[in-house]
Amino acid sequence: VTRVTALAGGVGAAKLLRGIIRVIPPPSLAVIVNTGDDERFYGLHVSPDVDTTIYTLAGVAPVGRGWGIAGDTSNVLGALERFYTADGWFRLGDQDFATHVRRTHALADGRTLAEVTAELARAFGVESRILPMSDDTVRTIVETRSGETLSFQEYFVKRQARDRVRRLRYRGQRSATPAPGVIDAIRRADLLILPPSNPFTSIRPILGIRGIEHALRRRRVPLVAVSPIAGGRAVRGPLGDMLRAAGFSVSPVGIAEAYRGLLDGMVIDSSDQRWLRPLERSGLAVTMTDVRMDSIPRSVAVARATVALAQEIAGR
Amino acid sequence: VTRVTALAGGVGAAKLLRGIIRVIPPPSLAVIVNTGDDERFYGLHVSPDVDTTIYTLAGVAPVGRGWGIAGDTSNVLGALERFYTADGWFRLGDQDFATHVRRTHALADGRTLAEVTAELARAFGVESRILPMSDDTVRTIVETRSGETLSFQEYFVKRQARDRVRRLRYRGQRSATPAPGVIDAIRRADLLILPPSNPFTSIRPILGIRGIEHALRRRRVPLVAVSPIAGGRAVRGPLGDMLRAAGFSVSPVGIAEAYRGLLDGMVIDSSDQRWLRPLERSGLAVTMTDVRMDSIPRSVAVARATVALAQEIAGR
């Protein structure tokens, strides 16, 4: 394997990718990151999934928590409480603020999101290519069963994913085009990866942008997913409810179905062994390991299993 | 005395004003602040003189240094060095960043500088009225003898006022109008004060805005300045060179001349006693004290002397 391209959401993806860059040379990895969760806080453009990817690949994210910068302080956020009474629910550290200040400044100067993302990654010493899915504005909107409309961060962070979700919309997705380099990164990859992100909130925002799913379906290389399910439950977040609401089982099979026949293979959790045969019968190559990645060695192990599975598929 | 209105620059003015609010009730003070020194750093709108005034009147500025917030950290600025290699010369603390983030956000939302300044002052618990001189953009530009053109902050902070100044310009001043409340604050005052600010870089940017000097000249109440000179030298900053370059002596007389007959009285430093008679001969009421205000008690003493001088003038 020489070139790997991954589609990525936030923490779940980052935990796999920090393993991938220890299995292949970091410059051989390209990551197409969901920006449907982007939001303005205090007038600053925050790209949570992009930042999580950059911080994690730079080695400055806390290994366990996965988001933000390890040891960061929150003096700015504390001081902002003087002016904003109810907006402190999105935790932004001081070093993190510097990232958002720089991004907002560069965008105001007419740079694109892809350009500033590349600059930020470079500044953090990240050698992999970090590509936002689009330079255009796409926003994941959550419609709750009680009839409210929330931005993803309001739903996920402020209200801690407690609302029942009726529907997700990806505002702006139809008119958005892939950021420069995105389609190329898919076409030139030797291995395509869907990390253990939430298919609905992290990956579909990317897949629905013009040309991206098409490019993936026209691939001649393996596309392997890592299951975000372990023991019949989502490793993190509201994925279980979303799978059920969409009529899928909370299982690796449900994940495969949510990806609508896109996958060639899947790395599943050892506790989900009973789904091995059903997945294989549906035509997928499957390997098992512990998909929880609470440490760097675990991330490396899952990355190895993923690459090995892809090589096995390619060798058929 | 019930209502005091002051024109103000940064640190020198703030040191007098922190005395004034201990001599009269803080809500009786209105301050018209120079915004010719405003500058964008990292895409954020920074109003150094406004912030110094707010922080000082709120009691959060360091008593000695006079600018910024006491005990503030600089984690954001440190992190910004990842992205900006040569812009760290303007020291911005983390709590300070929160102020600039809020100001920039509110301005981007269509609020005026006067509105956001009032909001910031309120949030810091300042009971005096803080008015930017104008909602319009006015910028003090320094032309050096070597032919360079610098913003005020570049000249003053980055290059530490080392350049010889050929000329000052106040870009945008002619088309600017006073911020709402500015002319009223002058008309309704019982006492008008020019604190020990630099007449050229702090006060003239204000005076040259349409209607402001006219309103001052039509006053029926005393206008008293506090001398920024002590012992034949400027208490701080490049004022000495500027007075000489303009053909004035580095003395209270030079200051009075720089104000072109605007003053009724002046508080001068005890070490400048020899200028008492010349000032009085030119028609000014004069009182002496130590004008260096390195402590709150010294600020209170100079404030008392200023108000007493005004009362003496009003009683004539």
Side-chain angles (χ1 to χ4, degrees):
Chain A
V1 168
T2 51
R3 283 166 303 192
V4 172
T5 294
L7 273 55
V11 172
K15 288 188 172 182
L16 177 66
L17 299 176
R18 73 187 177 189
I20 295 287
I21 58 166
R22 287 165 169 90
V23 172
I24 66 162
S28 300
L29 172 66
V31 190
I32 300 164
V33 188
N34 171 38
T35 55
D37 301 355
D38 285 18
E39 185 140 342
R40 292 187 86 86
F41 290 101
Y42 315 106
L44 301 176
H45 185 117
V46 180
S47 291
D49 286 355
V50 168
D51 293 338
T52 293
T53 304
I54 291 175
Y55 297 161
T56 302
L57 295 189
V60 301
V63 171
R65 187 180 73 190
W67 53 268
I69 293 177
D72 205 357
T73 47
S74 57
N75 298 334
V76 175
L77 199 69
L80 282 168
E81 287 174 10
R82 283 197 181 95
F83 317 122
Y84 298 85
T85 51
D87 290 325
W89 50 268
F90 199 86
R91 305 308 299 173
L92 294 169
D94 293 329
Q95 295 185 55
D96 208 18
F97 258 107
T99 299
H100 312 316
V101 165
R102 174 58 198 151
R103 175 184 291 116
T104 306
H105 187 195
L107 291 172
D109 272 357
R111 314 272 299 280
T112 64
L113 196 56
E115 287 167 350
V116 66
T117 299
E119 184 205 310
L120 293 171
R122 205 181 313 119
F124 274 94
V126 172
E127 296 176 279
S128 305
R129 292 183 67 201
I130 313 296
L131 301 163
M133 63 188 193
S134 178
D135 283 334
D136 304 317
T137 301
V138 178
R139 290 292 173 270
T140 299
I141 305 292
V142 179
E143 291 180 14
T144 70
R145 295 245 178 127
S146 60
E148 286 180 285
T149 298
L150 306 172
S151 76
F152 180 77
Q153 300 303 339
E154 284 173 325
Y155 160 75
F156 189 66
V157 179
K158 185 177 186 183
R159 297 164 66 144
Q160 305 194 337
R162 287 205 200 94
D163 298 83
R164 302 289 304 269
V165 176
R166 172 182 293 151
R167 195 161 84 93
L168 294 168
R169 282 185 293 128
Y170 312 110
R171 203 178 61 210
Q173 196 184 44
R174 271 183 212 166
S175 54
T177 55
V182 164
I183 297 295
D184 257 15
I186 294 170
R187 285 193 186 142
R188 294 186 185 169
D190 301 302
L191 161 58
L192 293 159
I193 295 181
L194 297 182
S197 296
N198 184 318
F200 307 104
T201 61
S202 292
I203 304 300
R204 284 197 183 170
I206 309 175
L207 290 178
I209 291 173
R210 193 182 318 154
I212 292 185
E213 186 166 341
H214 180 73
L216 284 169
R217 292 200 182 270
R218 291 193 55 188
R219 73 188 181 274
R220 299 173 181 197
V221 300
L223 170 55
V224 174
V226 174
S227 171
I229 303 291
R233 298 180 58 180
V235 172
R236 64 189 303 275
L239 172 58
D241 285 345
M242 289 185 185
L243 281 166
R244 271 188 293 268
F248 303 122
S249 63
V250 184
S251 72
V253 167
I255 295 296
E257 288 170 355
Y259 282 132
R260 298 180 290 219
L262 198 58
L263 307 180
D264 298 309
M266 194 180 236
V267 178
I268 68 172
D269 193 71
S270 308
S271 65
D272 288 324
Q273 189 175 359
R274 66 184 176 116
W275 301 101
L276 184 76
R277 290 284 166 265
L279 285 166
E280 287 181 341
R281 275 199 301 272
S282 73
L284 293 194
V286 183
T287 193
M288 288 195 302
T289 183
D290 179 357
V291 298
R292 292 172 209 271
M293 294 176 279
D294 296 334
S295 67
I296 303 283
R298 282 307 312 152
S299 291
V300 171
V302 177
R304 276 195 209 292
T306 306
V307 172
L309 179 64
Q311 285 171 330
E312 184 198 315
I313 294 166
R316 280 178 187 174
Chain B
V1 167
T2 51
R3 284 166 303 194
V4 172
T5 294
L7 274 56
V11 172
K15 288 188 171 182
L16 177 66
L17 299 176
R18 73 186 178 190
I20 295 286
I21 58 165
R22 287 164 169 91
V23 172
I24 65 162
S28 301
L29 172 67
V31 190
I32 300 164
V33 187
N34 171 40
T35 55
D37 301 355
D38 285 18
E39 186 140 342
R40 290 188 87 86
F41 291 102
Y42 314 107
L44 302 175
H45 185 117
V46 179
S47 291
D49 286 355
V50 167
D51 293 338
T52 293
T53 305
I54 290 175
Y55 296 160
T56 302
L57 294 189
V60 300
V63 171
R65 187 180 71 187
W67 55 268
I69 293 179
D72 206 357
T73 47
S74 56
N75 298 335
V76 176
L77 198 69
L80 282 168
E81 286 174 11
R82 282 198 184 94
F83 317 121
Y84 298 85
T85 51
D87 291 323
W89 50 268
F90 198 85
R91 304 309 298 173
L92 294 170
D94 293 330
Q95 295 186 55
D96 208 18
F97 259 106
T99 301
H100 312 316
V101 164
R102 174 58 198 150
R103 175 184 290 117
T104 306
H105 187 196
L107 291 173
D109 272 357
R111 314 271 300 278
T112 64
L113 196 57
E115 286 166 350
V116 68
T117 300
E119 183 204 311
L120 294 171
R122 204 181 314 117
F124 274 94
V126 172
E127 297 177 277
S128 306
R129 292 182 67 200
I130 313 295
L131 302 162
M133 63 188 193
S134 178
D135 283 334
D136 305 316
T137 302
V138 178
R139 290 293 173 268
T140 299
I141 305 292
V142 179
E143 291 180 12
T144 71
R145 297 245 178 127
S146 60
E148 285 180 285
T149 298
L150 306 172
S151 77
F152 179 77
Q153 299 303 340
E154 285 174 325
Y155 160 74
F156 189 66
V157 178
K158 185 176 186 183
R159 296 163 67 145
Q160 307 194 337
R162 287 203 199 96
D163 298 83
R164 302 290 304 270
V165 176
R166 172 183 291 151
R167 195 161 83 94
L168 294 168
R169 283 185 294 130
Y170 312 109
R171 203 178 60 208
Q173 196 184 44
R174 271 182 212 168
S175 54
T177 55
V182 164
I183 298 295
D184 257 17
I186 294 171
R187 285 193 186 139
R188 294 186 184 169
D190 302 302
L191 162 57
L192 292 159
I193 295 181
L194 297 182
S197 296
N198 183 318
F200 307 104
T201 61
S202 293
I203 305 300
R204 284 195 182 173
I206 309 176
L207 289 178
I209 291 173
R210 195 182 316 155
I212 292 185
E213 184 165 343
H214 180 72
L216 285 169
R217 293 200 182 271
R218 290 193 55 188
R219 72 186 181 276
R220 296 169 182 202
V221 299
L223 171 55
V224 173
V226 174
S227 171
I229 302 291
R233 298 179 58 180
V235 171
R236 64 190 301 276
L239 172 58
D241 285 346
M242 289 185 184
L243 281 166
R244 272 188 291 268
F248 302 122
S249 65
V250 184
S251 73
V253 167
I255 295 297
E257 288 171 353
Y259 282 131
R260 298 180 290 216
L262 196 59
L263 307 180
D264 298 310
M266 195 179 232
V267 178
I268 69 171
D269 194 72
S270 308
S271 65
D272 288 325
Q273 190 177 357
R274 67 187 177 114
W275 301 100
L276 185 75
R277 291 281 165 268
L279 285 166
E280 288 182 339
R281 275 199 300 274
S282 72
L284 294 193
V286 183
T287 194
M288 288 194 305
T289 184
D290 180 357
V291 299
R292 291 172 210 271
M293 294 176 279
D294 296 332
S295 68
I296 304 283
R298 283 308 311 152
S299 290
V300 171
V302 177
R304 277 196 209 291
T306 306
V307 171
L309 179 64
Q311 285 170 327
E312 185 198 316
I313 294 166
R316 279 179 188 172

